[in-house]
Amino acid sequence: MAAGAEHGLKKIVWQKIRDTIIADCRKSEVWKIMILDSFTTQLLSLCCKMSDLMAEGITIVEDLFKSREPVLEMKAVYFMSPTAKCVDAFINDFKLKPKYKAAYVYFTDYCPDDLFSKMKVFCAKHIKVCKEINMSFLPLEAQVFTCGNPGTFRSIYSPQSSDRGQTLETLADQLVTLCATLDEYPGVRYKKDSTLDYAKILAELVDNKLARHYELDDNGKKKEKTQAQLIIVDRAFDSVSPILHELTYQAMAYDLIPIKNDAYKFKAKDGSEKEALLNESDELWVKLRHLHIAEVTEQIPKLVKEISANKKPTDGKKTVHLTLAEDCMNKFQSSVEKLCKAEQDLAVGSDVEGQKVKDPMRTLLPVLLNPHSTHDKIRAVLLYIFGLNGTTEENLTKLIQHVKIEGESEYITNWKELGVPIISSKGCMNRTDILEDRSQEERYNLSRWVPVIKDLMEDAIENKLDTRDWPYQSECPSAWNGSRAVSARQKHKPSSQDDHRTGSRLIVFILGGVCHSEMRCAYEVTQANKSCEVIIGSSHILTPTSLLEGIRDLSKKPMDTFTIVEETA
């Protein structure tokens, strides 16, 4: 079993697959073929290896949409999404001339009646099993999940969107399958917003679908609420964290290094091209990913020794991470270091000494006058605007001219589609005036900002969220409280993901993408508060580049959107 699947969400997902799909397969001694669509391929690759499937009697894994040779002596296991495209591809395998001895069909989610009926008409005699296993999310990490669809960002926030309602429905269905997989019936609440009500709509949809899902259990009894909360927030809840230069290892690497689909390409000492996957099958990565970059290089030899002492192979991972850390530091020293102080001052609203930044423009100007990249200047300008809760039309025009993006001002102006103030309104308080004082918490001057989601997690666990700002869509049990909670801002050791947790769960879903620094917060808060496990998720993972380009493209007509950003789902 892969190391990354030994704990957390991945372990739970793999166990459920074993208890449903694999358990049915075991009833037959015949070796089987497994046929997957793109979503289930990704799902399985996240929680198991081919050797795990081989051990369970699956001898070949095939693509549902590719041409395949018939294997009439073998039974086929179809694990797929309940879409017309998938069902049609399945029917084609049996409609005229069967490709396999029999079909065992498993859908990730509820299969619509019309598709189910269509399957029965053409394939009834070939189908031995047909089940819906409620698993239409991706267990990206031990405490992180996604819905595997970066396109939801445009669908929800673009003024041109024609499928916002359907997208929210789909997200709700996916969240219900997450809860079902975790065997949780959570209380649902959301962040009340004065401009957009997408979080509220999604909370209503999820709550209603959960009620229907848990209306009757296998014993004919209605399931009671469990010790869990699901909190839904909109991306505008924290516009700073996804665009700030973050100096912890994982966030920094995904921001500064061209990592695609978790694959890091680098040159070995002999000049050959190498590729390494940054995922939880790499124990060294798990131990390093949330450390500040200043600690990473010195920790690598110690951690390699520790892992080797447990008789676990490191397979050259030391070289991978020394090279990646060096790449990050080179980027930092060449350009990012000069940006970080200004970014931190603008984000926090005060300098290293704790003195309030009285004139943010004086902080911003050196960034604009130096030869930084256009994207880095855009990020600094946005931090300036966010800190003031918007600027004047005249000032905005000057800033756009300074950055020389007159033809692509949407990088900045389109944030209004998320409900983020870009043009200031009278009587609007500066955002930095209402931030918590965190000046004593970070020992690194260039990492003073703490993602706002961390406050949410702590306050939710300690029952401190104001119901006027965080209404309940449905109450969770009164026993759900944070009496044993400790501050997640205390210094902590990197989380041990094999800790046995017996307390409650807090599930946080960010509508519009989650960034790596927010993912880190889930582990930090869980580690600081052993009585509650925090799981965080979204439609997809954000990097600063993918977010900025997604923002820019919001006002384009669908056919005008030609930039393709390859991101891990």
Side-chain angles (χ1 to χ4, degrees):
M1 191 58 168
E6 291 171 1
H7 45 69
L9 279 176
K10 295 187 176 190
K11 178 181 179 182
I12 293 168
V13 167
W14 173 237
Q15 189 59 50
K16 186 172 181 180
I17 289 171
R18 292 185 70 185
D19 290 346
T20 51
I21 300 174
I22 303 298
D24 286 341
C25 291
R26 285 201 199 102
K27 294 171 186 175
S28 167
E29 295 298 318
V30 184
W31 284 87
K32 294 180 181 65
I33 293 173
M34 180 171 266
I35 298 168
L36 308 171
D37 63 20
S38 58
F39 184 87
T40 51
T41 298
Q42 197 172 358
L43 172 58
L44 269 182
S45 67
L46 285 167
C47 63
C48 70
K49 291 181 175 179
M50 188 62 208
S51 56
D52 299 319
L53 295 173
M54 289 280 287
E56 302 292 355
I58 304 292
T59 183
I60 304 170
V61 176
E62 296 266 26
D63 186 327
L64 176 62
F65 300 110
K66 287 187 178 174
S67 177
R68 286 168 272 114
E69 290 296 318
V71 190
L72 296 177
E73 68 275 15
M74 294 186 80
K75 296 177 182 178
V77 177
Y78 288 80
F79 183 26
M80 58 191 184
S81 306
T83 64
K85 183 181 177 184
C86 288
V87 168
D88 286 345
F90 166 74
I91 290 171
N92 286 339
D93 282 354
F94 292 92
K95 188 175 179 180
L96 297 176
K97 190 176 180 183
K99 283 191 173 180
Y100 308 105
K101 187 175 183 180
Y104 292 69
V105 180
Y106 300 87
F107 288 113
T108 57
D109 202 349
Y110 171 77
C111 181
D113 291 343
D114 60 325
L115 295 180
F116 190 73
S117 299
K118 193 174 181 182
M119 285 172 59
K120 282 172 64 178
V121 168
F122 293 106
C123 308
K125 66 179 182 180
H126 302 291
I127 299 172
K128 300 300 181 188
V129 172
C130 187
K131 292 182 179 178
E132 298 156 342
I133 66 170
N134 293 308
M135 196 182 287
S136 58
F137 66 93
L138 300 174
L140 198 68
E141 292 183 3
Q143 291 172 230
V144 180
F145 70 94
T146 78
C147 296
N149 189 358
T152 59
F153 186 80
R154 177 179 175 81
S155 295
I156 292 169
Y157 294 112
S158 172
Q160 319 273 350
S161 176
S162 59
D163 61 348
R164 184 178 294 118
Q166 183 54 54
T167 299
L168 290 168
E169 285 271 0
T170 301
L171 289 175
D173 289 333
Q174 292 178 287
L175 280 170
V176 169
T177 71
L178 171 80
C179 296
T181 300
L182 295 172
D183 195 26
E184 298 283 14
Y185 187 1
V188 181
R189 63 199 303 192
Y190 59 93
K191 177 68 171 77
K192 194 173 182 179
D193 195 296
S194 58
T195 54
L196 303 177
D197 58 0
Y198 304 147
K200 180 178 187 292
I201 293 169
L202 183 57
E204 289 173 351
L205 288 169
V206 172
D207 198 51
N208 291 336
K209 289 173 185 285
L210 278 170
R212 289 199 296 274
H213 180 81
Y214 285 125
E215 193 168 18
L216 292 176
D217 66 12
D218 293 338
N219 301 317
K221 295 179 181 178
K222 185 175 180 180
K223 185 177 177 73
E224 298 297 324
K225 293 273 185 169
T226 57
Q227 301 298 316
Q229 277 199 76
L230 167 61
I231 300 182
I232 297 170
V233 302
D234 200 273
R235 184 59 268 171
F237 170 71
D238 178 2
S239 50
V240 171
S241 294
I243 62 164
L244 198 67
H245 278 94
E246 163 79 36
L247 300 183
T248 50
Y249 188 39
Q250 181 185 38
M252 192 177 187
Y254 278 79
D255 182 5
L256 303 180
I257 310 299
I259 296 168
K260 293 182 179 179
N261 300 319
D262 297 328
Y264 165 55
K265 294 182 179 179
F266 63 101
K267 278 193 175 180
K269 288 183 178 178
D270 62 4
S272 61
E273 293 283 342
K274 298 283 186 181
E275 182 175 297
L277 283 177
L278 304 177
N279 59 31
E280 288 182 334
S281 61
D282 176 358
E283 191 174 343
L284 191 54
W285 169 251
V286 173
K287 290 178 180 292
L288 291 168
R289 63 186 173 188
H290 298 146
L291 294 180
H292 191 282
I293 190 66
E295 302 169 40
V296 171
T297 306
E298 66 179 62
Q299 286 294 322
I300 289 173
K302 297 177 187 175
L303 292 172
V304 167
K305 191 174 181 181
E306 180 186 308
I307 294 167
S308 300
N310 293 327
K311 295 185 169 58
K312 294 182 180 179
T314 52
D315 298 330
K317 297 297 183 185
K318 178 180 178 181
T319 303
V320 171
H321 291 293
L322 285 172
T323 306
L324 178 55
E326 184 180 357
D327 281 354
C328 288
M329 284 304 297
N330 288 340
K331 292 277 188 180
F332 174 74
Q333 290 165 350
S334 65
S335 61
V336 175
E337 187 173 12
K338 297 167 189 170
L339 289 165
C340 281
K341 183 184 182 302
E343 285 188 355
Q344 291 292 318
D345 290 356
L346 289 169
V348 177
S350 58
D351 61 19
V352 174
E353 287 75 37
Q355 298 296 313
K356 182 178 177 180
V357 175
K358 294 178 181 176
D359 185 359
M361 183 56 77
R362 289 186 64 180
T363 305
L364 176 64
L365 270 177
V367 175
L368 299 182
L369 296 173
N370 274 293
H372 295 296
S373 71
T374 299
H375 263 207
D376 283 341
K377 289 183 179 182
I378 292 170
R379 289 163 75 169
V381 166
L382 286 168
L383 291 171
Y384 165 83
I385 294 171
F386 296 160
L388 296 173
N389 248 340
T391 187
T392 63
E393 290 269 13
E394 181 185 5
N395 198 29
L396 179 61
T397 301
K398 289 179 180 176
L399 289 169
I400 288 168
Q401 290 170 346
H402 256 299
V403 185
K404 297 179 180 175
I405 54 167
E406 292 92 337
E408 291 187 303
S409 59
E410 296 87 357
Y411 276 119
I412 296 173
T413 57
N414 276 358
W415 283 84
K416 69 180 184 295
E417 307 298 349
L418 277 66
V420 178
I422 296 299
I423 303 300
S424 57
S425 55
K426 289 182 181 179
C428 194
M429 183 181 289
N430 286 0
R431 180 191 53 77
T432 52
D433 290 340
I434 55 176
L435 290 175
E436 282 191 24
D437 179 15
R438 302 172 175 129
S439 56
Q440 303 304 312
E441 296 161 14
E442 278 294 340
R443 50 189 254 242
Y444 295 103
N445 292 338
L446 300 183
S447 297
R448 287 171 284 134
W449 172 263
V450 179
V452 185
I453 207 79
K454 200 165 189 180
D455 291 327
L456 163 63
M457 293 170 179
E458 286 186 334
D459 290 347
I461 290 170
E462 296 171 9
N463 262 349
K464 290 181 179 177
L465 292 179
D466 190 327
T467 53
R468 291 171 295 184
D469 296 323
W470 299 90
Y472 285 98
Q473 187 60 41
S474 61
E475 293 281 349
C476 55
S478 57
W480 206 101
N481 64 68
S483 57
R484 290 175 289 168
V486 293
S487 172
R489 300 195 190 287
Q490 293 174 5
K491 280 294 154 190
H492 60 278
K493 297 176 183 176
S495 62
S496 168
Q497 300 193 25
D498 296 315
D499 286 348
H500 181 63
R501 307 197 184 281
T502 57
S504 51
R505 273 198 182 102
L506 172 64
I507 304 167
V508 178
F509 185 80
I510 304 177
L511 194 55
V514 60
C515 65
H516 292 92
S517 58
E518 292 168 327
M519 290 159 55
R520 186 186 76 247
C521 291
Y523 296 91
E524 292 176 350
V525 174
T526 302
Q527 180 66 14
N529 174 19
K530 297 293 196 297
S531 67
C532 180
E533 179 186 39
V534 182
I535 292 173
I536 191 167
S538 184
S539 51
H540 61 299
I541 306 300
L542 293 172
T543 64
T545 298
S546 69
L547 176 58
L548 287 178
E549 295 186 350
I551 291 281
R552 178 200 62 191
D553 291 344
L554 285 178
S555 55
K556 292 183 178 180
K557 294 175 183 176
M559 65 180 63
D560 294 337
T561 308
F562 55 85
T563 301
I564 299 174
V565 181
E566 291 186 36
E567 285 300 324
T568 302

